[in-house]
Amino acid sequence: PPAAADADAAAAATKVQAAATEATSGRVAAVALGSSLGSGALSLFSSLVTESIEPKSPALASSLEATAGRVAAVGSTVASRLAAPPSGAPETAAVRTWSDGGRVFEAVWPDPRKRYVAASDSLGRVLLLERATLVQLRVWKGYRSVQCGWLDALAPGGGLSAVLAIHAPRRELVEMWAVPAGVRLRAIATGPGCRLLAPAPPLAQAEEGGAPLRCYLLQPSGALSRLEPTETCDT
């Protein structure tokens, strides 16, 4: 009977609106709806929510019920995935893939305190990686035939902050960068033929943080100067 069909259609519209309310309570419900529903279903869903259309056909009512079920399922799945972090990954770790087939690593400089790793590649870049996860934190471009070293700077409030020294002989320049923030603390002009020396401290002192890490610049004349980033370094 027409009255029964109208009642069923109205009930289906009510279920759609209820499912819409449940789905939109998620943080990214709009994105989930847009990617999971077809353009036709999304248009129908929007019209029901904004214009309160009451369908008159049992077939349309059935279609709306099915759409409401898909909307509710998508909203529930997205909400559950967003609520839980990736299993087995630390809270600060990023899960990502970087495909770079033309790259060949040429040299690596691990931080003696086991926090970071600096690496140079064949594309003229210096990469900063987190040692525990190998997540890429920073990239410096336009650096070829570089030498790198690690040194410490005094952090505000005490303690030591990590600093990466990058010697670019083609630029005749030594730069010191606070890591992982990526702030350049200082740049020193050098002449041709200079070399960056970064002697490793005794293993026990490096792990316990007792001896500050130092870097030195060796001149062709044999003169040796110690690199000093700044008096304080806020990373």
Side-chain angles (χ1 to χ4, degrees), residues 2-218:
D6 289 345
D8 291 341
T14 301
K15 290 181 179 180
V16 170
Q17 291 178 343
T21 302
E22 180 180 354
T24 52
S25 64
R27 288 180 292 169
V28 291
V31 176
L33 291 175
S35 59
S36 301
L37 300 178
S39 58
L42 183 59
S43 175
L44 178 60
F45 174 79
S46 299
S47 65
L48 286 170
V49 173
T50 57
E51 299 178 12
S52 301
I53 295 177
E54 296 185 2
K56 304 299 182 181
S57 166
L60 181 57
S62 177
S63 175
L64 294 178
E65 253 187 299
T67 301
R70 289 195 296 270
V71 171
V74 168
S76 176
T77 300
V78 171
S80 62
R81 290 182 178 179
L82 288 175
S87 59
E91 293 183 359
T92 57
V95 180
R96 69 186 78 176
T97 299
W98 184 22
S99 178
D100 195 356
R103 177 182 59 193
V104 176
F105 284 113
E106 296 180 335
V108 294
W109 297 271
D111 173 16
R113 303 202 194 283
K114 300 183 178 181
R115 298 163 295 183
Y116 310 103
V117 175
S120 63
D121 64 16
S122 56
L123 301 180
R125 299 177 299 191
V126 176
L127 293 83
L128 176 67
L129 309 174
E130 187 179 46
R131 183 164 179 169
T133 61
L134 293 182
V135 170
Q136 177 183 298
L137 303 177
R138 296 284 171 185
V139 177
W140 292 271
K141 298 182 179 180
Y143 293 80
R144 296 188 179 276
S145 306
V146 299
Q147 298 171 308
C148 294
W150 294 95
L151 58 154
D152 291 322
L154 183 62
L160 299 175
S161 297
V163 176
L164 177 64
I166 303 177
H167 177 216
R170 297 190 181 186
R171 298 184 180 182
E172 298 186 357
L173 188 68
V174 171
E175 296 177 328
M176 283 162 275
W177 297 83
V179 296
V183 177
R184 192 172 80 165
L185 305 174
R186 192 177 180 187
I188 302 174
T190 64
C194 293
R195 293 190 61 84
L196 180 68
L197 303 180
L203 181 60
Q205 292 182 356
E207 291 182 347
E208 296 172 2
L213 303 178
R214 303 294 189 188
C215 286
Y216 302 87
L217 186 66
L218 179 62

